[in-house]
Amino acid sequence: MPPNTLQALNAQIVACELCPRLRAYCAEVARVRRRAYIDQQYWGRPVPSFGDPDARVLALGLAPGAHGSNRTGRPFTGDGSGDFLYPVLYEAGFASQPKAISPHDGMKLTGLWITSVGRCAPPANKPTPAELRNCAPWLDREMNLLKNLRVVVCLGRIAFDGLLAREARIGKLPARSGYVFRHGAQYSLPSGLVSIASFHPSLQNTNTGKLTRPMFLEIFKRARAEATR
Ligand code: SF4
């Protein structure tokens, strides 16, 4: 029987072993560790989602970072992507504090749930299509349990494609043509959800200025406005 709470779903997700390549990689990263974190115990398992179960906005990422959430066990916590994301969430009114260090840092989200299309850190940040397919049922169950969901912010093209695939799986997206990924693109989906696409806050994008803080803040302010319409 599928779990009937997000907490119960998270408990199942952290025990998932469906992708041998990813499970082996995460365990190896957790065993070897980066020199800066050598005194820490890495999480090393699938990363559970995080946030407000009554959220109207979902932030959908790609997958955990090897030394970020694969280390800390909370999405976008402990790496450069999170250092860029959480201050914006704080400014947009979704997060209780701008700094995300660990699951014990006191961070609370209001109105927002954070998840990703892949739950295990992949080598070179690239899950295979088969691994993304393995992970897709978790997203389906999770979105079913987010009863107030109105807006999905897709962080990067793979997350955007993952949302469209989910909409197709539930029979609400007859054709994908017309839905094009670009930063800031917004679509009212036939299911009633609004999708807003953003560049992913990876260091590759934020260090080069492809994604700036004002650009990212605009996305989350817009998500908030759409969610309360
Ligand atoms: S990526 Fe998803 S499906 Fe694959 S092992 Fe991790 S949690 Fe399971």
Side-chain angles (χ1 to χ4, degrees):
M1 204 169 118
N4 59 3
T5 66
L6 289 158
Q7 197 180 13
L9 184 70
N10 268 343
Q12 289 192 353
I13 288 169
V14 301
C16 181
E17 299 276 352
L18 268 178
C19 306
R21 182 186 80 116
L22 298 184
R23 295 308 320 122
Y25 177 71
C26 291
E28 181 62 7
V29 170
R31 187 186 69 77
V32 175
R33 291 167 287 178
R34 182 175 275 173
R35 184 188 290 250
Y37 308 124
I38 203 74
D39 58 341
Q40 295 184 18
Q41 177 147 15
Y42 275 47
W43 174 255
R45 287 184 278 157
V47 175
S49 305
F50 171 56
D52 177 357
D54 296 323
R56 291 179 172 214
V57 178
L58 175 67
L60 182 59
L62 167 58
H67 300 279
S69 47
N70 183 56
R71 173 172 59 89
T72 62
R74 195 176 69 185
F76 287 100
T77 299
D79 63 11
S81 297
D83 290 346
F84 195 84
L85 173 68
Y86 280 103
V88 165
L89 295 182
Y90 175 68
E91 195 171 341
F94 289 112
S96 61
Q97 58 191 53
K99 218 168 170 49
I101 301 163
S102 85
H104 314 294
D105 60 12
M107 175 79 73
K108 290 212 169 9
L109 299 183
T110 304
L112 182 78
W113 185 259
I114 304 180
T115 190
S116 53
V117 289
R119 322 260 169 170
C120 294
N125 290 322
K126 285 197 175 77
T128 66
E131 288 161 350
L132 290 172
R133 279 196 298 277
N134 283 348
C135 220
W138 294 127
L139 180 65
D140 294 353
R141 287 170 210 159
E142 188 165 41
M143 289 180 72
N144 283 344
L145 290 168
L146 288 164
K147 300 292 183 200
N148 299 327
L149 189 61
R150 307 273 279 274
V151 178
V152 182
V153 176
C154 299
L155 301 174
R157 184 185 300 274
I158 295 174
F160 180 74
D161 289 342
L163 175 64
L164 293 183
R166 181 265 179 182
E167 296 291 287
R169 281 194 301 277
I170 62 167
K172 299 279 187 183
L173 195 74
R176 289 204 201 182
S177 57
Y179 299 102
V180 178
F181 177 82
R182 63 176 172 76
H183 181 83
Q186 179 172 329
Y187 299 103
S188 295
L189 300 170
S191 66
L193 290 175
V194 170
S195 73
I196 303 177
S198 169
F199 292 140
H200 189 279
S202 63
L203 287 178
Q204 203 182 359
N205 287 336
T206 57
N207 279 348
T208 57
K210 184 174 178 182
L211 178 65
T212 63
R213 185 176 165 133
M215 285 166 69
F216 207 36
L217 183 58
E218 188 278 329
I219 293 284
F220 281 98
K221 282 187 168 172
R222 183 146 46 105
R224 172 176 286 289
E226 288 294 335
T228 49
R229 236 178 239 282

